[in-house]
Amino acid sequence: MSTTADAGAVDPPVNRLRNVSLGRYSALILLALFFVYFGLIDSTTKDVFTDGSNIKVTLAARVTIGFLTLGLLVPLAAGIFDLSIGAMMGFASMVLAWIEQENRVPGGVFGASVVTILICMVFGWVNGFLVVKLNINSFIATLGMSQVITAAMLWRSDNQRIADVFSDEFQDLGRKEFLTQSLSVWYLLGAAIVIWYMLEYTPFGRKLFATGGNPDAARLAGVRTGRYIWTALIISSVMAALGGIVFDMRQGAASPQTGPPLLFPAFAAVFFGATQIRNRPNVWGTMIAIVTLAFGAKGLQLKSPGVWVEPLFNGLALAIAVAFASYQGGLRLRRKRDPEVPSGNLAATVSSRTDLDVDPSG
Amino acid sequence: MSGSVLEIRGLSKTFPGQHALINVDFDVAPGEVHALVGQNGSGKSTLIKILAGYHDPAPGASASVTRQRRGGELTHLRLGDARAAEEAGVRFVHQDLGLVETLGAHENLALGAGFLTNRMGTISWRQEIKRARAALADLGYHIDPRKPVKELSAAERTGIAIARALQNWDRDVELLVLDEPTASLPGPEVERLFDVIRTVKERGVAVVYVSHHLDEVFHIADRVTVLRDGRKIDTVPTSTLDHDKLVELIVGRALYAEFATDLSEGRAGGRKVVLAARGLSSSSLLHLDLDVTEGEIIGVAGITGSGREEVARVLFGALPRTGVVQIGGVHVVGDRPDLSVRAGLAMVPADRKQVGIMPEMAVRENMTLTDLQPYWIQGLLRVRKERSEVSTWLDTLDVRPRQTERLIKTLSGGNQQKVLIAKWLRVKPKVLVLDEPTQGVDVGAKADIHRLVDHAAEAGAAVIVCSTDTEELVRLCHRVVVMQRGVARAVLTGDEITVDRINQLQLQVAQEATA
Ligand SMILES: Nc1ncnc2c1ncn2[C@@H]1O[C@H](COP(=O)(O)OP(=O)(O)OP(=O)(O)O)[C@@H](O)[C@H]1O
Ligand SMILES: [Mg+2]
């Protein structure tokens, strides 16, 4: 056996070149293209686009979505969707405002934030209960939860926004700058590092991915998959709460309308990100995706202002990125499913067709 | 060559970093059973998948089918087109069957042949079910066609895949391609499959048959083609070969007298009982009692439906059970695999694809999931350390290619199996439960795995091997339990453990069961 062991191997250099697929870096390439086009070529945008303040504003505007995407990543690693994260974020921002309004929690705004996070964790716990104990599909359970949260929020707030309850010191935490960027951007970076460490460098993260990769196999390897799913949903609720708190810092006001519309852009960034760098949900791929989407939308808005630009851009960029990554990754899409490979975790689902076409022979 | 049903010329295929097939020519004569053999990763499945249109070949390949049923009409196949082979009358049973797990047998069959509709144009489920039941009964399977495929045993699933491939076979099937159909079939069912093969062969259908069981090759095949590392070594009539010569063609050298070793000398006497099971019952087991001492290897045989399929999972606690399982005198709770693992139980499941691998993860991640503690140092998972240990295991089991970071789904079936075995051997379990441990594994690797199982037992583990491969049981076990209807019907020890005796017992109890 040993004499023939290497007969099938191709020279390493060739091998390496082949394995680098541009699709894995399409977000970075796109980002560069945006800077070249909007920053150097297009005369209507080129004065503004590369301006330091434009960069700062563009990045800071994405911090809330950034927290949501980090929150989505964790359950997605375990193959679970959390559709309540948008509503949860809006809810958190309202809860913080209410507590500040009533002013009954000791410890000032810090105490209020802790209470907000704890309340969101309870909702995350309930999500976990529905999914793990009652065995409800996560898509449905969290969709239901998002409606319940929205209802609670509307009932309590009468659909009114709350302003003028946050102190200047609190708002400074979101508005002040550090190394040319808004402080909130650094908070997001900090959270990203924590999630990255957790997913990639702890047994917890590995088991989470295993749960997403094949829950039955993971269970037989001794992973308590239910616990991991449950924990993941609690972590995503914490990220939603943090997103809400940072939102309040930056805006100085809370409104029941803020959360839900952020769900799609957050999902778009996570799915886009899951095609980047490595073919599964990952923190830095997602962060790059957010930045790319942010600058792409910004450039288009500078050219032709209109609120419709951004959703259109998000949708198109997502579809194109996923298609590009699948194509480059050599995954065959049409009628060519590998008969030996079950559809696996999210990354595979994202980058191959998700409809149930039937292979003709196998 | 005009006398061929299938003629392939100059077939090559390169995956990133690896040549899977190199300029292979392959011919199948009308009405012959043509075996395709070779070690794990030699390219057998790749050849078949290209023919089926799942992979594109490298440019320069050609293939044609001569349609005997249409007066010798010659069809050139567009390789890489998913419909081409199907339309030319070639049918496939793939290595992992390719059934839709959540659907019943009737739906799976209908997906292959088109749905039966009634006058209103809607699907007639009653007819579908009837048709499926008849098709399965033809092959000797009595399965409720409405039961989701994922709830069936591996052997039953194989039956469904074969039934699907054989639909309308007397009308338009020229060639039937079977990729390791017997990897999880017990002896008597293999016989049944052979009957089916003989029947279709008599009616002029040619068969390509992939298997690692060389005795089957001699039994059923007229000619055999050997692949080694993606190259065709030779095509020869089986009548001019014997077992050793074939092994030599496959491996490239003679294999030392592996199967002659005698291990069955009085092992059990006076040793400590590691695993004790009392009154184990589950959906297909009835009050099973089992004691396994340290260093002992116990075999579990039985036809499909005898309860053999569940023994491993019930012992391990992957299925709900009643009864008592103790390891070293300590009670182990059922239906909690995590606690079983902690108590020192390990199980390699039979169903590699469904519950074994995590397809989109690296070989390394698949292997180390069972115990990450050694790499968890000062708050960081040390991937480099992990990688080097995994590398060592890949060497030990001769997994090819030796790449720790490759996605496990891109390994050949046999190599995936080796990774799954390493995954448990590395944690040095007290009780090792193996369910079809060498399914889809080639002769050389099989010997390696058997040696590792011996070593594990010598190191004090209690080993339970549930297998449909009777030779394997004879080679490994100190005691063999033959199951029937959920009950241990016979226990063989010492010299009683022979292939004939086990097969005979399995059949005998099967006959008693139907009588
Ligand atoms: N999708 C893929 N991507 C990359 N490499 C692959 C892929 N599929 C197969 N290979 C490689 O091609 C080689 C041939 O694999 P193949 O599945 O044809 O082997 P096989 O002869 O069927 O082996 P086995 O007996 O174990 O099933 C293997 O080395 C395998 O790792
Ligand atoms: Mg194969």
Side-chain angles (χ1 to χ4, degrees):
Chain A
M1 258 174 267
S2 52
T3 53
T4 52
D6 296 327
V10 178
D11 300 331
V14 179
N15 176 2
R16 208 157 292 149
L17 269 183
R18 284 220 185 134
N19 284 341
V20 174
S21 65
L22 288 180
R24 294 261 162 105
Y25 298 93
S26 58
L28 278 177
I29 296 170
L30 260 180
L31 184 60
L33 289 178
F34 289 149
F35 268 87
V36 170
Y37 182 78
F38 294 121
L40 298 174
I41 298 175
D42 192 303
S43 55
T44 50
T45 57
K46 98 179 158 200
D47 301 330
V48 194
F49 193 77
T50 49
D51 189 61
S53 69
N54 178 53
I55 291 177
K56 189 166 66 192
V57 171
T58 309
L59 287 178
R62 293 294 166 134
V63 167
T64 313
I65 289 179
F67 274 99
L68 295 193
T69 56
L70 288 176
L72 286 177
L73 263 180
V74 179
L76 270 178
I80 293 287
F81 289 91
D82 184 357
L83 300 184
S84 67
I85 200 163
M88 191 99 76
M89 174 261 144
F91 179 71
S93 79
M94 291 298 285
V95 169
L96 186 65
W98 289 324
I99 299 176
E100 284 295 273
Q101 216 169 20
E102 308 273 326
N103 204 6
R104 280 207 212 116
V105 176
V109 78
F110 179 77
S113 300
V114 171
V115 172
T116 304
I117 293 172
L118 288 177
I119 291 175
C120 284
M121 282 173 83
V122 171
F123 282 100
W125 186 92
V126 174
N127 272 336
F129 182 81
L130 297 175
V131 172
V132 175
K133 285 288 165 194
L134 302 188
N135 230 335
I136 303 175
N137 180 306
S138 64
F139 207 88
I140 294 163
T142 57
L143 189 62
M145 178 58 86
S146 78
Q147 293 309 296
V148 171
I149 293 174
T150 307
M153 202 157 49
L154 291 175
W155 171 67
R156 173 72 169 77
S157 69
D158 233 355
N159 208 7
Q160 299 295 313
R161 60 183 248 129
I162 306 175
D164 305 325
V165 294
F166 297 111
S167 64
D168 280 346
E169 293 82 54
F170 177 65
Q171 293 190 42
D172 281 347
L173 289 175
R175 290 185 302 213
K176 282 241 168 87
E177 284 172 23
F178 175 70
L179 293 179
T180 78
Q181 296 301 321
S182 156
L183 271 178
S184 58
V185 171
W186 298 107
Y187 302 150
L188 177 62
L189 189 65
I193 290 173
V194 171
I195 300 285
W196 171 61
Y197 161 77
M198 199 181 73
L199 288 181
E200 305 291 340
Y201 290 99
T202 64
F204 174 84
R206 184 65 66 74
K207 291 177 184 175
L208 212 55
F209 277 117
T211 303
N214 181 348
D216 293 327
R219 194 176 93 94
L220 290 188
V223 177
R224 297 193 68 182
T225 50
R227 289 214 163 173
Y228 282 83
I229 289 171
W230 206 325
T231 313
L233 284 167
I234 294 176
I235 292 174
S236 71
S237 70
V238 171
M239 297 313 289
L242 291 175
I245 294 167
V246 173
F247 178 87
D248 286 351
M249 275 178 199
R250 298 197 35 228
Q251 303 293 323
S255 143
Q257 304 297 344
T258 46
L262 297 182
L263 188 64
F264 180 82
F267 263 107
V270 172
F271 284 142
F272 190 177
T275 66
Q276 301 297 306
I277 303 179
R278 51 198 306 196
N279 206 8
R280 70 184 188 198
N282 69 88
V283 168
W284 301 121
T286 306
M287 289 295 122
I288 292 169
I290 292 177
V291 173
T292 304
L293 290 173
F295 281 102
K298 188 67 178 195
L300 287 175
Q301 264 162 356
L302 288 175
K303 262 183 87 66
S304 54
V307 280
W308 52 272
V309 169
E310 192 179 333
L312 177 70
F313 176 73
N314 273 340
L316 287 180
L318 174 64
I320 292 169
V322 170
F324 196 48
S326 326
Y327 175 74
Q328 287 274 334
L331 284 170
R332 310 298 309 194
L333 298 185
R334 293 254 167 85
R335 274 202 262 128
K336 287 195 181 182
R337 292 266 215 79
D338 189 326
E340 288 192 17
V341 175
S343 59
N345 66 0
L346 169 86
T349 321
V350 172
S351 54
S352 65
R353 287 202 324 178
T354 47
D355 58 346
L356 256 184
D357 74 337
V358 174
D359 41 67
S361 58
Chain B
M1 207 173 126
S2 58
S4 307
V5 185
L6 173 71
E7 186 176 310
I8 296 179
R9 288 287 170 270
L11 186 61
S12 300
K13 172 77 191 171
T14 307
F15 288 112
Q18 183 172 31
H19 298 299
L21 288 173
I22 304 160
N23 201 13
V24 171
D25 297 341
F26 185 59
D27 293 295
V28 182
E32 78 167 338
V33 176
H34 194 129
L36 182 61
V37 301
Q39 285 180 286
N40 294 135
S42 56
K44 305 179 296 293
S45 298
T46 303
L47 188 149
I48 288 167
K49 284 193 222 164
I50 291 174
L51 197 58
Y54 288 104
H55 293 313
D56 289 319
S62 70
S64 59
V65 173
T66 311
R67 311 213 52 177
Q68 313 290 332
R69 290 175 197 281
R70 304 233 176 116
E73 174 192 314
L74 190 73
T75 317
H76 284 283
L77 287 185
R78 277 159 296 133
L79 287 173
D81 180 330
R83 291 242 162 242
E86 184 83 7
E87 276 160 14
V90 186
R91 297 286 182 277
F92 299 89
V93 173
H94 289 288
Q95 188 163 7
D96 282 309
L97 307 180
L99 300 172
V100 182
E101 295 287 324
T102 49
L103 301 182
H106 63 300
E107 288 156 305
N108 271 292
L109 290 181
L111 288 172
F115 288 92
L116 292 172
T117 51
N118 59 24
R119 261 171 302 163
M120 309 294 287
T122 52
I123 298 173
S124 165
W125 289 114
R126 198 155 351 129
Q127 283 185 52
E128 294 285 3
I129 291 167
K130 225 168 102 188
R131 179 172 76 170
R133 194 169 277 142
L136 290 166
D138 272 354
L139 297 176
Y141 290 93
H142 299 280
I143 310 168
D144 178 1
R146 282 163 299 192
K147 213 167 169 189
V149 164
K150 67 174 169 205
E151 290 171 19
L152 300 174
S153 73
E156 289 167 332
R157 292 215 287 249
T158 310
I160 293 172
I162 293 171
R164 182 176 57 183
L166 283 175
Q167 287 180 98
N168 307 329
W169 62 271
D170 46 353
R171 260 196 290 125
D172 44 34
V173 178
E174 302 283 352
L175 176 64
L176 178 64
V177 181
L178 304 168
D179 193 354
E180 299 194 33
T182 54
S184 49
L185 286 188
E189 285 169 40
V190 173
E191 275 307 320
R192 218 155 58 189
L193 175 64
F194 284 177
D195 285 342
V196 173
I197 291 179
R198 282 188 207 104
T199 316
V200 298
K201 177 182 158 171
E202 269 162 30
R203 311 266 187 96
V205 176
V207 178
V208 171
Y209 186 87
V210 179
S211 179
H212 290 295
H213 299 289
L214 302 185
D215 50 331
E216 292 172 10
V217 170
F218 286 105
H219 205 88
I220 193 85
D222 303 302
R223 290 197 298 164
V224 53
T225 292
V226 179
L227 294 180
R228 197 193 302 150
D229 293 317
R231 281 175 229 272
K232 181 170 112 174
I233 300 303
D234 206 353
T235 298
V236 273
T238 37
S239 54
T240 64
L241 281 176
D242 61 23
H243 186 279
D244 290 347
K245 271 199 204 127
L246 184 53
V247 169
E248 212 173 315
L249 279 178
I250 292 172
V251 184
R253 59 177 167 77
L255 205 64
Y256 22 96
E258 182 54 42
F259 299 96
T261 32
D262 179 23
L263 287 153
S264 40
E265 280 173 45
R267 275 286 185 87
R271 287 182 177 240
K272 206 172 78 197
V273 173
V274 181
L275 176 91
R278 289 289 172 275
L280 276 195
S281 301
S282 71
S283 60
S284 71
L285 292 182
L286 256 181
H287 288 283
L288 181 70
D289 294 341
L290 198 64
D291 278 335
V292 193
T293 62
E294 56 180 6
E296 188 182 24
I297 305 176
I298 284 214
V300 179
I303 59 160
T304 303
S306 63
R308 183 213 73 240
E309 317 89 293
E310 282 198 358
V311 171
R313 280 174 292 164
V314 168
L315 275 176
F316 181 70
L319 291 177
R321 70 174 179 220
T322 57
V324 179
V325 173
Q326 291 188 337
I327 292 181
V330 181
H331 192 78
V332 184
V333 187
D335 214 11
R336 277 289 298 275
D338 57 311
L339 295 182
S340 303
V341 172
R342 209 178 303 160
L345 263 162
M347 179 187 66
V348 178
D351 196 345
R352 177 172 64 228
K353 179 184 153 193
Q354 292 308 317
V355 300
I357 62 166
M358 296 166 288
E360 302 285 338
M361 296 178 80
V363 167
R364 166 177 56 82
E365 292 166 313
N366 270 278
M367 198 187 288
T368 57
L369 185 65
T370 41
D371 183 15
L372 291 162
Q373 280 311 315
Y375 323 116
W376 174 237
I377 301 165
Q378 294 167 349
L380 274 184
L381 210 49
R382 310 283 164 161
V383 176
R384 200 175 307 156
K385 186 152 186 271
E386 196 183 344
R387 215 175 272 160
S388 85
E389 194 196 316
V390 171
S391 249
T392 319
W393 276 104
L394 297 187
D395 285 340
T396 313
L397 288 180
D398 192 28
V399 176
R400 290 187 223 176
R402 301 259 205 288
Q403 293 169 10
T404 59
E405 302 310 305
R406 194 181 253 266
L407 296 188
I408 195 166
K409 69 170 182 182
T410 68
L411 260 55
S412 78
N415 282 307
Q416 291 179 10
Q417 185 69 14
K418 292 189 210 168
V419 173
L420 291 189
I421 292 193
K423 162 181 176 177
W424 286 111
L425 286 179
R426 63 179 278 275
V427 300
K428 302 206 171 59
K430 288 188 199 138
V431 179
L432 179 61
V433 187
L434 303 166
D435 206 353
E436 305 293 347
T438 56
Q439 54 164 325
V441 168
D442 66 52
V443 268
K446 196 166 174 174
D448 291 342
I449 289 176
H450 287 166
R451 218 171 294 134
L452 283 163
V453 173
D454 285 338
H455 287 322
E458 273 156 28
V463 183
I464 294 131
V465 184
C466 306
S467 180
T468 50
D469 181 345
T470 317
E471 273 180 32
E472 169 165 280
L473 295 176
V474 174
R475 154 70 179 82
L476 282 174
C477 300
H478 309 127
R479 272 195 293 161
V480 174
V481 177
V482 182
M483 302 290 299
Q484 180 215 336
R485 283 190 188 169
V487 180
R489 209 12 88 87
V491 179
L492 302 176
T493 51
D495 293 343
E496 296 169 333
I497 306 178
T498 62
V499 172
D500 287 344
R501 190 90 181 91
I502 295 174
N503 278 342
Q504 191 190 351
L505 267 171
Q506 289 188 22
L507 272 177
Q508 201 176 355
V509 284
Q511 271 154 12
E512 280 167 25
T514 47

